[in-house]
Amino acid sequence: MSDSLKKTSAGMRLRRYFLTGLIVVAPLAITAWLTWTFVLWVDGWVKPYLPKAYNPDSYLPFGVPGYGLLVALVALTIVGFLTASLVGRTVLGFGESLLNRMPLVRVVYRGLKQIFETVLAEQNNSFKRAALIEYPRKGLWSIVFVATETRGEVDARMPQQETISVFLPTTPNPTSGFLLFVPRSDVIFLDMSVEEAAKMVISAGLVAPEYPKKMPAETPGAPAAPALAKDTPPRNDLTGT
């Protein structure tokens, strides 16, 4: 082997080692940085409002990162506990009645409240399944997140067929997309989870969950491939049964 080939192979190995290290370290470093930034951001909001007697930064020679986040979590839990009582619901209702009288503020408040209730409510079944639909034209397929069965006036105005509401995310930002009302018969439900589907959308298809490969097409004159046991067909409903 010539010296030039040895140098080329050594350079390729170094490049492969560098990329492998980058793949391992970069996600860990970015996750740690985002977590640390979020903790410091919450501390910066909460700590200035704490009395000095309850703020360890006022009498310790060093700062205590995460203390503000811990206080915020405890305070939110207490607020939720108080709101669940009769007195708390009364106070909350009075506060919302005041906000509803403010033309611009009430629109922002109602929108944010509806978003948080939809995303965080434990009894809500939104975005529990991933599916495929033909979009933007026949023959092209897109990943969607199944929301719920179509309801209200939209359901009443639709043709006499069962439809479901789906969210079509965009790449690489799955938080934006389109709300579509699709006939149930046109939806192919997937076995992959919503998280796996989101990773596939964000990575533009580069990251895909493992799944049994399709059988290769048979070559004319070649012996037929042995038959494989049929998998259980995927569940085709919203309830997962």
Side-chain angles (χ1 to χ4, degrees), residues 202-238:
I202 295 172
S203 66
L206 296 178
V207 178
E210 294 292 334
Y211 197 76
K213 296 182 179 180
K214 295 181 179 179
M215 293 297 297
E218 295 183 4
T219 305
L228 299 178
K230 293 184 178 179
D231 295 332
T232 303
R235 297 169 296 184
N236 194 15
D237 56 29
L238 294 178

Side-chain angles (χ1 to χ4, degrees), residues 33-75:
W33 178 76
L34 290 175
T35 303
W36 183 255
T37 302
F38 175 75
V39 170
L40 295 181
W41 178 74
V42 176
D43 284 352
W45 274 91
V46 176
K47 284 185 177 181
Y49 297 99
L50 295 177
K52 290 185 177 181
Y54 299 100
N55 190 349
D57 293 351
S58 61
Y59 50 83
L60 290 179
F62 54 88
V64 181
Y67 184 77
L69 178 61
L70 178 62
V71 172
L73 294 176
V74 174

Side-chain angles (χ1 to χ4, degrees), residues 104-133:
L104 181 61
V105 175
R106 66 185 179 189
V107 176
V108 177
Y109 173 74
R110 288 177 181 175
L112 291 176
K113 183 180 179 182
Q114 186 174 8
I115 291 174
F116 275 90
E117 287 179 345
T118 302
V119 174
L120 300 178
E122 295 181 355
Q123 68 273 14
N124 195 279
N125 293 323
S126 297
F127 299 159
K128 291 299 183 182
R129 300 202 64 184
L132 289 174
I133 64 169

